[in-house]
Every structure is written in structure tokens, then in C-alpha cells.
Amino acid sequence: YRQETVQGLAHAIGYYVSSSGSMVREAEYYEMLEALTASQVRECCEKYLRNDELFMVLVLPKSDFSETAGEELRRTLEGCLDGPPERSNLVSLPAITRNSDGIVEVDFPGGFRLRALQDASVPMTSAWIAWQGGVRLEAPEDAGCSYLLANLLTKGTLEHGAKELARELDRLAANIDGFCGRSSLGLHFEGLSQDFETLVERSFECLTQPSWDLSELEEEKRIICQDLIAEADDLGQLTFRAFLKKIYGSHPYGRDSRGSRESIMKIRREDIERCWHQNYGLDTATLAVVGDVDIEAL
């Protein structure tokens, strides 16, 4: 803001010339500030903001502050200064390896797998979290359940509602979408590399804290049924469905992945939750990432 006035510019030039002897020191300062990393800030805090060199002065109402209250405050402050547990108590991270194709491979103890291809040519990152599953796991009476489930994964979490999540992604010019295929199900997310940490957090929030909002479920069912009705007079779609049924017969691959209007309307929230918990634990998931990504940070 101070660059908007002559006085502001004069003050800045005078300050930096007085403190450093250089008129370009301000530009250099902001370049240094932009280059700072979280680990550098943390190291600086650990070096200078030490508890053993801390001084604190409190001004309190004499009439309402007894010796007992003072002792309680002292114990509270001592508890705050104890700090978090040592990092050595944390679970050690798995090994990071790279195969002959240059793909990074990380296998976590619980079964979760990461595969990544680093490419810094464009400041973007794309990722898929996928499971084996999808349509092939469905019984005829559950037809369309997996498709509904995949759509609902991004329709709100316990911490963020569907609209709030959508607004945040819109602000970041990013996207997180659920997908369901014949033999797979999961999430796809993509955005600028600078926002990748946020996208990872939101994606795993969708996977670990889905709200399965009842109103969103009913809206998704309505949309799917409308699409099926609209395709009822589409000769190409009708031919394709007949083709699948002829090839696969009663196998799940012979059905539309969205199910039928009859099966969709019967699906309840409890059916969605049961399908999710029975088939899609993080211990069987794989995260694939391509783009400008920091593997250690991820």
C-alpha cells in the first residue's frame, strides 16, 4: 500500500538506505521472504524462541487474583511450556524407492501404496486414488450403488459441506471428482502444484470423513434417473446396452454402471455406507501422482 503514495515510497527508500546502505535492498528482502520454507522458519523458531530464555509479564486485577489462582496459573503455564512429545515417538516413514522407469514407489505398512512420476516442466499435479472394485462387486439388487457412492464422495464431509468444498475448489481452479468403472472406483484430483497439499488434505478428508448427506443422495438419484430417462430414446445407447447384455449376460459387466431407475430408487444411505466400509478401506488403495510434486512432503 505504501507504494501508492510519494510519501510511502520516500519512507521505504529512506528506511532501506539507512539500514542497509542500498536502495535495492527492499526488492532483495522480498525475494528472500518469498524463498523461505516452512522448515527454515521452524529452525529459526527453535533457535531463538526458546522456553529457557522466555520472560513473561502479566498485569492482572489485584482484587480478583488470589495466591491460589496464581499457583494454578503457574502450573498451567509450565504445562504449556513442556511442548509436544519428541518426534522420535512418531512412526517412522516407509522407504522411498525408484524403479527402472523413474517411477517413485512407496509401500506403507498398512498396505496403502504410492506411485509417483515427477515432472516439473509444468507447475501442475494430477492424482488418482483407486481401488479394485466398482460395478463388478455389485449384486443385481444393488445395481448403481457404486456409481452413486463415487458421486457422493465429494458431496460434503463431516468438516466441510458440499457447497463449501465446491467454493474452495473453484477458488483454487482445481477439481476433485469421484469415479466408478466396471472394475475400479476412487477419486481423481488435479490443480496447481502450489495447492497440492490442500488438494491431498481435502481428498483424504472425503475418503475418511464422508458425510453421506441424505439430501445430496436424493439429488444424485434424481439426476441419474433423469439421465436414464433421457437416454431411453437414444438409439446409440440402446444398442450399446443390448450389446453389453448379449456379451456378458447376467455378469455385472452386462449392466449399465448407473444401474436402472428401479434399482437406484431402492438404494438407501445405509446401503452406500455398507458398500463403502466393506470394499474400500485405505489399506487396499493406491495413490498415483504425476506432475511437479515433492515426494518427501507428500
Side-chain angles (χ1 to χ4, degrees), residues 2-130:
R2 72 181 177 208
Q3 294 183 6
E4 295 177 353
T5 65
V6 174
Q7 294 91 334
L9 289 171
H11 180 274
I13 292 172
Y15 173 81
Y16 283 102
V17 169
S18 300
S19 61
S20 68
S22 171
M23 292 183 64
V24 298
R25 183 59 178 170
E26 181 176 25
E28 294 173 351
Y29 169 74
Y30 284 116
E31 288 177 4
M32 293 166 60
L33 192 64
E34 183 70 25
L36 279 178
T37 64
S39 60
Q40 288 175 313
V41 175
R42 190 179 300 111
E43 289 172 6
C44 185
C45 290
E46 291 173 351
K47 181 177 180 180
Y48 295 108
L49 305 184
R50 293 168 48 184
N51 291 344
D52 58 349
E53 296 183 352
L54 172 66
F55 289 86
M56 182 181 294
V57 177
L58 303 178
V59 179
L60 301 162
K62 189 174 183 179
S63 59
D64 299 332
F65 198 72
S66 63
E67 186 175 340
T68 303
E71 182 61 24
E72 289 180 358
L73 178 59
R74 184 185 66 79
R75 287 197 298 266
T76 300
L77 292 174
E78 286 180 347
C80 294
L81 295 176
D82 286 340
E86 294 295 324
R87 296 183 66 86
S88 59
N89 294 334
L90 301 178
V91 177
S92 59
L93 293 175
I96 297 176
T97 61
R98 195 181 299 270
N99 66 21
S100 58
D101 295 318
I103 296 175
V104 173
E105 300 180 336
V106 183
D107 295 332
F108 290 81
F112 185 84
R113 298 184 301 172
L114 167 67
R115 299 295 182 266
L117 184 61
Q118 293 172 290
D119 181 357
S121 59
V122 177
M124 293 189 67
T125 308
S126 180
W128 297 77
I129 305 175

Side-chain angles (χ1 to χ4, degrees), residues 131-138 146 180-185 275 280:
W131 285 265
Q132 294 184 10
V135 174
R136 70 181 178 87
L137 298 184
E138 294 177 345
S146 300
C180 173
R182 292 182 179 179
S183 57
S184 63
L185 183 144
C275 179
Y280 303 107

Side-chain angles (χ1 to χ4, degrees), residues 59-258:
V59 179
L60 301 162
K62 189 174 183 179
S63 59
D64 299 332
F65 198 72
S66 63
E67 186 175 340
T68 303
E71 182 61 24
E72 289 180 358
L73 178 59
R74 184 185 66 79
R75 287 197 298 266
T76 300
L77 292 174
E78 286 180 347
C80 294
L81 295 176
D82 286 340
E86 294 295 324
R87 296 183 66 86
S88 59
N89 294 334
L90 301 178
V91 177
S92 59
L93 293 175
I96 297 176
T97 61
R98 195 181 299 270
N99 66 21
S100 58
D101 295 318
I103 296 175
V104 173
E105 300 180 336
V106 183
D107 295 332
F108 290 81
F112 185 84
R113 298 184 301 172
L114 167 67
R115 299 295 182 266
L117 184 61
Q118 293 172 290
D119 181 357
S121 59
V122 177
M124 293 189 67
T125 308
S126 180
W128 297 77
I129 305 175
W131 285 265
Q132 294 184 10
V135 174
R136 70 181 178 87
L137 298 184
E138 294 177 345
E141 60 271 18
D142 296 327
C145 187
S146 300
Y147 187 86
L148 257 177
L149 187 159
N151 286 354
L152 286 173
L153 280 176
T154 58
K155 293 298 188 294
T157 70
L158 298 181
E159 295 186 22
H160 298 87
K163 292 182 179 179
E164 183 182 2
L165 186 61
R167 281 195 295 268
E168 181 179 33
L169 294 174
D170 186 58
R171 178 176 57 80
L172 299 177
N175 65 74
I176 303 177
D177 298 306
F179 68 87
C180 173
R182 292 182 179 179
S183 57
S184 63
L185 183 144
L187 278 184
H188 166 245
F189 55 99
E190 184 175 48
L192 295 175
S193 299
Q194 67 187 34
D195 303 319
F196 189 61
E197 181 177 348
T198 299
L199 292 178
V200 171
E201 290 176 354
R202 291 294 174 267
S203 296
F204 276 86
E205 186 180 314
C206 289
L207 298 177
T208 58
Q209 304 178 43
S211 62
W212 309 125
D213 186 273
L214 191 58
S215 62
E216 294 289 346
L217 170 60
E218 293 304 318
E219 177 64 10
E220 287 298 320
K221 289 165 67 173
R222 185 191 67 80
I223 293 172
I224 293 172
C225 287
Q226 287 295 325
D227 289 342
L228 292 172
I229 291 172
E231 293 173 5
D233 58 354
D234 185 323
L235 292 180
Q237 283 293 331
L238 293 174
T239 304
F240 184 66
R241 291 177 190 174
F243 181 73
L244 291 178
K245 191 170 184 180
K246 182 66 175 177
I247 291 179
Y248 295 109
S250 60
H251 189 278
Y253 285 2
R255 301 193 299 263
D256 190 307
S257 62
R258 297 166 295 180

